[in-house]
Amino acid sequence: MKCNSIEMYQNSLAQKLEGMLGYIAWSVVCYLTLSAHPTDTQEGILRLISIVVGLLLFIVCFYLTTRDNPYNKTRVHIFNQYDNRIRKLGYFGQLITMLFLRTLNDPGVAANTLLTIAIAAQTPICFSRLTSIFIVLGLILLDTCLNLLSGYEDAMLIAAVSGAFQLVAFRMAQRVIQEIIAREHISTLNRELVATQELLEQSTKQSERLRISRDLHDGLGHNLTALILKLQYLTYICKEDDCKESAVEAHMLAKHLLQDVRESVSQMRESAALHLKDALDALITQVPSLNISLQYSDDVLIGNSKAAETLFRCVQEAITNTLKHSNATKMDIRVYQNSDGITVEVFDNGRIKTEIAEGNGLKGMRERIESLGGSVEFFINNGFNMNLFVPATGVIA
């Protein structure tokens, strides 16, 4: 888990550095643009003010596009539609502002090229891979046409250099996004593997404790019972007082020993209960873009490894569904037990507009719970809600 924390910190630091580079580039553009315009006439002053307003609008739109973990394509592009609209709004705002500034700037000003390259680098943040390719090609074509129409003597050279840098910036941004998505996927798989290993380890320990308790009960317990019966018989047939007193003492010691064995067997059976909390803690640790709270009652006892695995897989599926189909930022998980059985409640704060359609994941979840004699309920109430119930007979070993 320490490695995951370091990796997430490195990813966050890398994205902050990339954002800082964008603001630094914007500062360079400001300097190159403002320094290239005279202010000795009223027309020059008005032109300069218009350029300043355009540059400020550009940096605001840049912030809207690049803010808050823009490289998580799974959540941003497909499922968090509201956030994606804001990013696209910022992207097209930059494009319009860039065109506005180009009408004010003189042809050949380096700032024109830098702004276009910055927009090309942000394209993969807002659009799918295929759409991004067409948009960047359109940007290159637009930039080439604007340069040629400007009548500048080195227009073709500037257009070629600008197009090359746009392609390089676009490709580098794509690689960064793909790398971060791959890291997040690997982190998710690693987290699930650690949680599964924890559950498997507990299941193995439970099986070993149950085996030892059965061996003690069936082997040592039966032999001690036979010994007690023989010693009891010996107390009846002994004629001498010393012999009878020793037989009675041995009989009492054997009875105490049998009682100790029975208590040990009972304690081993109780300690053989699976602690699902440890596996769930490993599962919910550092889930990207989702703050998960777990409330696990101390009195929850699961003696059946199949029941523990079923509840674990259901919670795992609920987390996966929330990450895929919701824009939730918070999830609460509650696990508690009463005389009837164990209840698991899961709910998030996602905005879901449509009714819940049970796909393979939810159907599989229902089948798992019903195989234990339990029930499952899915509903929408200020987010996705799931209630699982497994009767006491389904969690006993």
Side-chain angles (χ1 to χ4, degrees):
M1 293 302 168
K2 186 177 180 181
C3 292
N4 287 342
S5 299
I6 294 174
E7 186 175 337
M8 289 182 67
Y9 173 75
Q10 289 174 341
N11 289 343
S12 176
L13 181 61
Q15 292 183 22
K16 288 179 181 178
L17 288 174
E18 289 163 8
M20 288 176 60
L21 290 175
Y23 291 112
I24 291 172
W26 174 80
S27 301
V28 173
V29 169
C30 290
Y31 173 76
L32 294 174
T33 305
L34 298 178
S35 62
H37 292 280
T39 58
D40 51 353
T41 63
Q42 184 176 4
E43 182 183 355
I45 295 174
L46 292 175
R47 190 179 185 188
L48 188 63
I49 293 174
S50 300
I51 291 174
V52 170
V53 171
L55 289 170
L56 291 175
L57 286 174
F58 185 91
I59 200 61
V60 169
C61 293
F62 176 83
Y63 168 76
L64 292 176
T65 305
T66 58
R67 65 189 174 90
D68 297 336
N69 193 19
Y71 301 132
N72 192 335
K73 295 290 288 182
T74 302
R75 289 181 58 76
V76 172
H77 182 64
I78 301 175
F79 304 109
N80 197 338
Q81 297 180 357
Y82 176 74
D83 191 49
N84 194 36
R85 289 195 196 103
I86 292 182
R87 295 183 193 281
K88 287 182 179 179
L89 179 64
Y91 180 87
F92 288 114
Q94 291 178 74
L95 183 59
I96 294 170
T97 306
M98 182 269 294
L99 294 174
F100 171 71
L101 290 172
R102 291 192 73 149
T103 62
L104 298 175
N105 286 332
D106 295 327
V109 175
N112 296 335
T113 301
L114 290 176
L115 291 178
T116 309
I117 294 171
I119 294 174
Q122 297 169 62
T123 307
I125 298 174
C126 303
F127 304 96
S128 64
R129 184 174 182 179
L130 184 60
T131 305
S132 298
I133 292 174
F134 284 112
I135 290 177
V136 170
L137 291 177
L139 280 174
I140 295 174
L141 180 61
L142 175 64
D143 185 57
T144 303
C145 292
L146 291 175
N147 280 300
L148 293 176
L149 291 174
S150 67
Y152 192 69
E153 57 181 8
D154 293 327
M156 184 57 73
L157 177 61
I158 294 174
V161 172
S162 176
F165 275 105
Q166 287 181 59
L167 288 175
V168 171
F170 169 70
R171 184 54 186 157
M172 288 181 65
Q174 269 193 330
R175 291 294 296 272
V176 170
I177 293 172
Q178 291 169 358
E179 214 173 295
I180 292 178
I181 292 173
R183 283 203 200 103
E184 288 187 354
H185 182 61
I186 292 173
S187 177
T188 300
L189 293 178
N190 181 65
R191 187 179 65 253
E192 293 178 353
L193 178 61
V194 170
T196 303
Q197 285 178 335
E198 177 67 32
L199 188 63
L200 179 61
E201 182 179 353
Q202 289 195 37
S203 180
T204 303
K205 289 180 180 178
Q206 181 208 39
S207 300
E208 188 64 17
R209 290 193 185 103
L210 289 175
R211 185 189 66 80
I212 294 174
S213 66
R214 289 192 188 103
D215 289 345
L216 286 175
H217 181 269
D218 297 340
L220 186 58
H222 289 173
N223 290 333
L224 283 174
T225 301
L227 178 62
I228 289 171
L229 292 175
K230 288 184 179 295
L231 289 173
Q232 186 177 10
Y233 173 71
L234 187 60
T235 59
Y236 293 140
I237 64 174
C238 283
K239 301 298 183 182
E240 298 180 4
D241 291 341
D242 292 341
C243 178
K244 187 170 185 177
E245 184 178 350
S246 297
V248 170
E249 184 178 351
H251 178 247
M252 293 302 297
L253 286 173
K255 289 179 69 175
H256 285 306
L257 181 58
L258 179 61
Q259 182 63 30
D260 290 341
V261 169
R262 285 175 175 171
E263 289 179 358
S264 297
V265 169
S266 298
Q267 290 177 359
M268 291 187 72
R269 284 187 173 274
E270 290 178 2
S271 64
L274 290 165
H275 298 282
L276 185 60
K277 184 178 184 299
D278 296 335
L280 293 179
D281 281 334
L283 181 65
I284 68 176
T285 301
Q286 296 175 347
V287 176
S289 306
L290 188 62
N291 181 21
I292 303 179
S293 171
L294 174 64
Q295 299 179 25
Y296 194 96
S297 299
D298 295 333
D299 58 350
V300 175
L301 296 175
I302 304 176
N304 187 347
S305 59
K306 181 182 177 182
E309 182 183 2
T310 295
L311 294 176
F312 173 80
R313 296 301 179 192
C314 288
V315 174
Q316 182 183 34
E317 181 66 24
I319 294 174
T320 301
N321 285 340
T322 295
L323 290 173
K324 282 185 176 181
H325 306 299
S326 172
N327 56 359
T329 58
K330 184 179 179 182
M331 170 181 279
D332 291 319
I333 302 172
R334 297 175 184 172
V335 184
Y336 57 90
Q337 184 172 6
N338 52 32
S339 58
D340 297 329
I342 293 178
T343 300
V344 178
E345 297 177 350
V346 180
F347 50 93
D348 61 41
N349 64 345
R351 296 186 295 271
I352 303 177
K353 298 180 180 179
T354 60
E355 294 294 327
I356 296 176
E358 292 191 18
N360 292 329
L362 296 184
K363 287 180 180 178
M365 196 184 300
R366 185 181 296 279
E367 291 169 357
R368 284 174 179 267
I369 295 297
E370 289 179 351
S371 68
L372 298 173
S375 60
V376 59
E377 181 183 9
F378 309 111
F379 59 94
I380 298 174
N381 183 17
N382 296 323
F384 175 77
N385 290 253
M386 178 182 77
N387 290 340
L388 307 178
F389 174 75
V390 179
T393 54
V395 296
I396 299 175

